[in-house]
Amino acid sequence: MAIATHNERLRHHFDTAEQQEESSTLGMWVFLLTEIMFFGGMFGAYTVYRNMYPDAFASTSRFMNITLGAINTVVLITSSLTMALAVRSAQLGVKRALILFLVLTLLLGCIFLGVKVVEYHEKWVDHHIPGPGFRYDDARYFRQAQILFFLYFAMTGMHALHMIIGAGLLATLIIMARRDRFSAAWHTPVEMIGLYWHFVDIVWIFLFPLLYLIGRTR
Amino acid sequence: MTRHIVPVRTYVSVYAVLIALTATTVAVSRIDLGEFNFIVAMTIAVIKAVLVIMFFMHVREASALTKLFAGAGFFWMAILIVFTLSDYLSRGWLPLGQWWR
């Protein structure tokens, strides 16, 4: 750092802006580690039950809407690209591009959630929601298939909740950007919420093959 | 700030690879490869996750400490899955013959 620019965002307990940003990044990663552990519990439960009842779990994959799942995967990856470009615009200090890319990311996030609502509705119509109203055409797997549908709703539901929280965070960022809170020298919230958004994308990258694709050929 | 700003071209290239991998994993899921269906699907998912972590989450340019923390999270995940499975498998609680078809 050659030019000592005055930065009113630099807190007194940090020596430099770089050190401050490094601390924020590390803190955000520690939070993401707790998120990995949180989702890890559900991925662990899924692994055990998929191995315990492989036939019952494979039989459910034909009730998963692969077209909608694939569309949502593309939507979410695209939103990760727009988020990365939003962070880049913030680094360059270009306000218009920052707001544009944040709005695009928010829009794509809402499309993802809308598609998810359609999928949940399909499950409701097909009586594939575990509980007293559950119906399954293969009587052998009536009980075991409910475990998969329970995991499906728990995992995609927690993922969707993270998306809803992410949408709220993006809306906050858009308001802050409009009020000129960010500059090339300071835009830490954009970077941190970017990390969060990409993490939620990674969770879906694993959910899509596990819930929709595996067991299709059986 | 001396921060290195990643060119748009890099982001778009990574995005193109991610979309291509998504199309590949959907296409491969239609072909019956036996146990390899699961292996192929998970390998593609891991490659996609690594691309997002390295390029979109900037871990490639991050400090060694941040890299360690990011790696620790996924290492912990591996411990969770491997140790749990080794317990279930060694007790014979899982139907071994039909593993992950």
Side-chain angles (χ1 to χ4, degrees), chain A residues 70-88 98 100-113 159 162-163 166-167 170 173 190 193-202 204-205, chain B residues 11 15 18-19 52 56-57:
Chain A
I71 289 171
N72 254 356
T73 308
V74 172
V75 167
L76 209 53
I77 292 174
T78 311
S79 81
S80 254
L81 173 70
T82 55
M83 188 73 226
L85 293 174
V87 171
R88 187 178 181 275
L98 169 62
L100 173 75
F101 284 124
L102 287 175
V103 168
L104 276 176
T105 311
L106 178 59
L107 214 62
L108 289 163
C110 291
I111 292 172
F112 179 94
L113 287 168
H159 179 264
H162 278 77
M163 295 283 298
L170 282 171
L173 283 185
V190 185
I193 290 164
L195 287 177
Y196 173 83
W197 193 263
H198 297 310
F199 170 79
V200 175
D201 185 24
I202 290 170
W204 183 259
I205 283 174
Chain B
Y11 287 127
Y15 172 72
L18 287 172
I19 295 295
V52 172
F56 286 176
M57 297 173 93

Side-chain angles (χ1 to χ4, degrees), chain A residues 61-70 118-119 122-123 152 208 212:
Chain A
S61 60
R62 71 194 152 98
F63 299 110
M64 298 296 171
N65 194 326
I66 293 168
T67 314
L68 290 185
V118 174
E119 279 188 77
E122 274 181 5
K123 299 279 176 295
Y152 168 84
F208 175 58
Y212 293 76

Side-chain angles (χ1 to χ4, degrees), chain B:
Chain B
M1 302 281 271
T2 50
R3 161 187 275 284
H4 171 66
I5 290 171
V6 179
V8 174
R9 202 155 46 97
T10 309
Y11 287 127
V12 174
S13 312
V14 171
Y15 172 72
V17 175
L18 287 172
I19 295 295
L21 285 172
T22 304
T24 312
T25 193
V26 172
V28 171
S29 75
R30 290 175 203 277
I31 310 161
D32 192 356
L33 300 171
E35 287 172 17
F36 282 95
N37 273 116
F38 169 73
I39 294 167
V40 171
M42 281 301 102
T43 308
I44 290 176
V46 168
I47 295 170
K48 281 165 77 178
V50 168
L51 284 173
V52 172
I53 291 164
M54 284 300 174
F55 291 95
F56 286 176
M57 297 173 93
H58 300 134
V59 168
R60 204 168 60 111
E61 308 124 56
S63 68
L65 194 58
T66 305
K67 280 187 177 121
L68 178 71
F69 273 54
F74 294 94
F75 185 67
W76 183 90
M77 186 73 196
I79 291 175
L80 176 76
I81 302 292
V82 172
F83 281 26
T84 305
L85 270 185
S86 71
D87 187 44
Y88 273 87
L89 288 171
S90 59
R91 285 169 199 262
W93 284 352
L94 300 176
L96 259 180
Q98 33 192 326
W99 208 68
W100 283 113
R101 265 181 301 178

Side-chain angles (χ1 to χ4, degrees), chain A residues 122-185:
Chain A
E122 274 181 5
K123 299 279 176 295
W124 172 264
V125 172
D126 294 345
H127 291 274
H128 282 161
I129 294 175
F134 186 80
R135 282 190 219 146
Y136 203 61
D137 56 358
D138 194 333
R140 287 175 301 165
Y141 302 138
F142 176 76
R143 290 165 71 93
Q144 296 163 4
Q146 284 190 64
I147 300 174
L148 180 108
F149 282 108
F150 173 76
L151 286 169
Y152 168 84
F153 280 107
M155 294 170 100
T156 60
M158 283 322 297
H159 179 264
L161 180 65
H162 278 77
M163 295 283 298
I164 292 166
I165 292 167
L169 293 171
L170 282 171
T172 313
L173 283 185
I174 292 166
I175 294 167
M176 287 173 82
R178 283 177 63 96
R179 290 180 184 170
D180 288 314
R181 296 286 176 85
F182 306 126
S183 64

Side-chain angles (χ1 to χ4, degrees), chain A residues 4-21:
Chain A
T5 44
H6 175 68
N7 185 355
E8 75 275 14
R9 292 285 185 179
L10 180 62
R11 304 281 176 150
H12 65 87
H13 49 279
F14 291 111
D15 291 335
T16 61
E18 283 81 6
Q19 189 194 36
Q20 178 172 275
E21 201 185 319

